[in-house]
Structure formats: C-alpha cells, structure tokens
Amino acid sequence: MTDLPADVREYCRDLARLRRWPPGTESAFLETVRWFRDIDEGPASRSYYEGAGEDADSEGTRWLWETVIVAGEVIAVKQIEVSPDGMARCYWWRHLEDERGSLTDQALDPDGWRLRAVGRDTFYELWDGARQ
C-alpha cells in the first residue's frame, strides 16, 4: 500500500505551500501519512481511551483515541479533540494536522496519563458525528 488518494496528496501539498516547507519535508510528511494509514488499515485489534486536559492550557478539553499496539507501544491511529465549547476536531491519516492541532505523534501511556478506557461505540458515536 503505497499510493495515497488524490485528496490526501493535495492536502499535503497545501500544507507544504502554506507552511513553506523546505524541500524534502513534504515527502517525509507523506511517508508519515503512509505509516499511519498502513497501521490504521491493518488487522491489529483496537483499544479506545479518553482523557481530559488538566493544565491551564488544556483545561476543559477532552481527547479520545483509537489505538493499536505497535512494537509494544500504544499508538493512536485516530484522535478526537473536543474543546470546552463542544467543537470536535478529528485527526487520522487522512487529516494528520491543521492549524489548530494534530494527531499525537507520541505513544500513549494509558496508566501514566490516567486515561480511561472507553468502548468502540462511545468513540465512533462522537467520531461519526464530528465528521459529518
């Protein structure tokens, strides 16, 4: 699986133009998109977590993640960020980042971050509603 859909390639080109990426950055970003896509579309079992912002910059923000285990680490393949005003933004391989946020590029630590396990239905009810 190497080819990405045209809309995803265009999204990456737009980011490169807007951010004035130096040569090579766009292709590196596309490789990251492919990596997340391959994991997301793979057969690994999924777990779902929810966490809330606890510091001054993120207080009132809620995050939900769909995760898989990769090389022993909990990797987010989908992320929902719900701001205090209730606006939800979704990040995944088709939309890794925008001017407001991005899919986390760090492994999650469910115990250390005091994340709460949630069900698939809880995650996808919000995901599907936010993406309409």
Side-chain angles (χ1 to χ4, degrees):
M1 287 195 260
T2 57
D3 291 337
L4 294 170
D7 63 310
V8 174
R9 291 191 314 271
E10 184 60 31
Y11 152 73
C12 293
R13 277 192 293 273
D14 288 346
L15 284 176
R17 279 191 297 271
L18 286 170
R19 296 179 179 170
R20 298 185 175 123
W21 285 342
T25 301
E26 182 179 350
S27 61
F29 188 82
L30 285 165
E31 284 306 311
T32 300
V33 170
R34 285 183 187 97
W35 185 81
F36 277 107
R37 189 254 339 250
D38 291 348
I39 293 169
D40 187 34
E41 293 183 352
S45 63
R46 309 299 165 117
S47 296
Y48 302 86
Y49 297 98
E50 178 177 8
E54 298 177 357
D55 62 22
D57 291 332
S58 63
E59 188 174 358
T61 301
R62 177 179 168 214
W63 288 274
L64 292 97
W65 297 274
E66 178 180 72
T67 68
V68 298
I69 302 296
V70 177
E73 295 187 311
V74 180
I75 302 297
V77 292
K78 291 184 177 74
Q79 174 179 309
I80 307 166
E81 180 180 332
V82 184
S83 63
D85 66 4
M87 182 171 171
R89 292 188 303 273
C90 298
Y91 300 101
W92 61 316
W93 69 267
R94 294 186 71 95
H95 187 83
L96 277 186
E97 63 183 68
D98 57 31
E99 67 282 353
R100 291 183 229 124
S102 65
L103 177 64
T104 183
D105 61 354
Q106 297 180 19
L108 275 64
D109 179 2
D111 295 327
W113 295 2
R114 296 190 309 255
L115 302 181
R116 181 174 71 93
V118 296
R120 182 185 191 286
D121 291 345
T122 298
F123 180 89
Y124 273 99
E125 182 178 318
L126 186 53
W127 179 266
D128 293 341
R131 290 181 23 88
Q132 292 179 4

